[in-house]
Amino acid sequence: MTAPLLETRGLTMRFGGVVAVDAVDFTLEEGELRCLIGPNGAGKSTFFKVLTGQLLPSAGTVRYRGRDIAGAAPHAIARAGIGIKLQTPSVFNGLSIRENLWLAARRKNGAKRADAVVDGVLSLIALAGSTDRIVGTLAHGQRQWVEIGTVLAGEPDLILLDEPAAGMNHDEVGRTAEIVRAINRTTSLIVVEHDMAFIRMISDRITVFNRGSVLMEDRADAVMRDQRVRDVYLGKKAA
Amino acid sequence: MIRTVLSLRVTLLCALGAAVLAGLAPQFVDTFTLLQATVFVAMAVLALSLGFIWGFGGILSFGQAAFFGLGGYAYAVGAFNFTDSTVPVILSMLVPMLFAALLGYFMFYGRISNVYVGVITLTVTLILFNVVNSTAGDAYRIGSAALGGFNGIPSVPGITLPFTGYAFAPEDDWYLAAGCLIVVFVGLKLLLASHFGRVVVAIRENEVRASLLGYDPRLYKLLAFVVGGGIAGLAGCLYTLWGAFISPTIFGLATSAQIIIWVMIGGLGTLIGPVLGAVAIQVLVTEIGGQQLLDANFVLGAILLVFVLVLPAGVVPTVERGVAALWRRGRRGRPGPAEAPAAHPLPGKALS
């Protein structure tokens, strides 16, 4: 058996006395699509930030394809092949849609190939209207797609999506689910979401976070039936 | 992409036009005006250096005066020590670039926030002022150049070409300054259209996103800062050539503030804005100097106030936006064949 794509052991992130991520052991296989759920403050976004080098973990290891990347700089982790869409849209607001994607595609491609990659991604995320529009003028849902497109244009091997469907209407959520499934044909994904309908549309396996640690890990139907999961979402103290 | 190519062509055409104008200028204006134009142009190069790193790199440096002064001093010291001007001119850019690399390394790799970059660059400029100011006396010599402390270095030798030994006349200094402005302008335009330049702008827009795409913001900011330092150094060389003199006042607060005012008034985020701002303000200050009614600093202060309150974007971006709005309105006001029926919906409805 080959090494897993991503593996954390005892990964911990402390902010003073607060332990946001508490000794998390997490494994993701090549080609997997994993959903992360959990109530607000469970440590999902912090977990993502540690994985992508935006935060320096207090303890533990992160192995990506067998290589320890814990504490590496964000750009080095991005170069290793991990792309992330942040919770609040993080795009180049003053630049055009095409320029946003091009900047991602051009890093490891020549100018010509970068243009081809951008065209491919644009047809996948299928934004309506001109791609010369300035991203800052777009609606929230569209900017989310631009950010997903930008991440895709970087051609990563592992994509982390932090609430890709947040603030979207029903149709937009459906389309985002389609996009996510299309991405998963070639790329591994970890998706943080609260929208259970969205998770049902895409999910394979689900990991439930609570208070910084992994509460359970199973298939979607099993997770949704589980009493402990219901309890933590409703604010009861987990047994 | 098409727009970039277009704007590059326009830039090259304008540069060609500017070169022709600059070439013909000595035929039409007297030597005094030409001399003044020379220093205005040198200062426009200085404005470009800040226009690039602030307007496109998002780095507000109060320290362009430091690189400007270092460039001037490097040229002056070199000019006393070498027979032709090749090495001094190279030094005038190399010394500020090395200094910018050292300073920038500690600032950007130390992850210092933008506000502190401003504070540090300002402080460094003032430290240089004090250091150079206290180099009076024979102990402070570099080769055969005496630094001269607060008196500065007088009678700095002008440009002497290698091999032929030709010494520049004032018109030649004008050609040199104008040529440098054009080359720096076109060079920056090309740089901004390149992959490197586009990443620099992206980092200004969103540093976190740029790093998550695999670009190291520290490196790009450092390189942009070094380029800006080199351009400011070149401007310092041109300035020293113009007056054949350099003194520590070049490192003063006034120089730093002036550069920022030029860029703000001309327009942040453009290249032509800082050039126009620098020239316009200098012409204005020179004009004010010729009369007794108003104090130049008072007028400058008032202009700055008006701009901050009314035109915070500066002249060039405001004009651009105005022209774009007029263009759109013009297209709406002229009903095309496709739009004509929509303008009269009622008769159409009645017919159907």
Side-chain angles (χ1 to χ4, degrees), chain B residues 145-172:
Chain B
L147 291 180
F150 54 83
N151 289 320
I153 307 177
S155 6
V156 177
I159 293 277
T160 311
L161 290 183
F163 310 121
T164 58
Y166 175 74
F168 268 26
E171 298 93 69
D172 298 320

Side-chain angles (χ1 to χ4, degrees), chain A residues 159-235:
Chain A
I159 295 181
L160 314 179
L161 298 177
D162 200 344
E163 305 201 11
M168 288 188 172
N169 66 32
H170 187 74
D171 295 342
E172 289 173 331
V173 168
R175 259 198 59 203
T176 305
E178 270 171 38
I179 292 174
V180 168
R181 278 201 303 258
I183 297 170
N184 188 226
R185 273 181 229 131
T186 55
T187 314
S188 314
L189 285 138
I190 309 177
V191 182
V192 164
E193 244 317 324
H194 285 297
D195 188 332
M196 284 298 169
F198 177 75
I199 288 172
R200 272 184 215 276
M201 281 188 255
I202 62 167
S203 88
D204 195 5
R205 281 179 76 79
I206 295 180
T207 301
V208 185
F209 265 58
N210 185 42
R211 294 166 177 257
S213 27
V214 176
L215 183 68
M216 69 175 298
E217 200 170 290
D218 210 327
R219 300 193 58 81
D221 43 358
V223 166
M224 285 176 199
R225 272 199 311 271
D226 193 277
Q227 192 56 43
R228 286 176 306 164
V229 174
R230 288 165 187 247
D231 286 346
V232 300
Y233 260 94
L234 293 173

Side-chain angles (χ1 to χ4, degrees), chain B residues 59-63 103 107 112-127 253 256 260:
Chain B
I59 307 161
L60 174 50
S61 159
F62 283 87
L103 183 64
M107 292 195 305
I112 280 168
S113 73
N114 287 339
V115 180
Y116 287 102
V117 168
V119 173
I120 289 172
T121 49
L122 181 64
T123 314
V124 164
T125 313
L126 295 179
I127 290 172
L253 213 51
S256 297
I260 290 174

Side-chain angles (χ1 to χ4, degrees), chain A residues 52 54 73-75 78-79 82 84-86 90-95 99 102-104 106-107 147 150-151, chain B residues 1 3 111 194-195 198-199 201-218 220:
Chain A
T52 52
Q54 296 175 73
H75 69 271
R79 279 167 181 262
I82 301 182
I84 180 170
K85 186 207 94 63
L86 300 180
S90 173
V91 285
F92 304 119
N93 274 324
L95 307 179
E99 182 77 2
W102 185 88
L103 282 160
R106 181 70 174 85
R107 189 185 57 72
E147 189 175 6
T150 305
V151 172
Chain B
M1 204 50 220
R3 261 181 59 194
R111 294 179 182 276
S194 72
H195 184 201
R198 286 160 86 170
V199 173
V201 172
I203 288 169
R204 176 198 70 190
E205 286 293 316
N206 188 340
E207 197 168 326
V208 171
R209 177 38 75 199
S211 69
L212 292 176
L213 292 179
Y215 297 111
D216 187 353
R218 301 169 300 184
Y220 282 86

Side-chain angles (χ1 to χ4, degrees), chain A residues 137-148:
Chain A
T137 64
L138 301 177
H140 180 80
Q142 298 237 306
R143 282 166 70 214
Q144 297 261 57
W145 283 330
V146 170
E147 189 175 6
I148 294 173

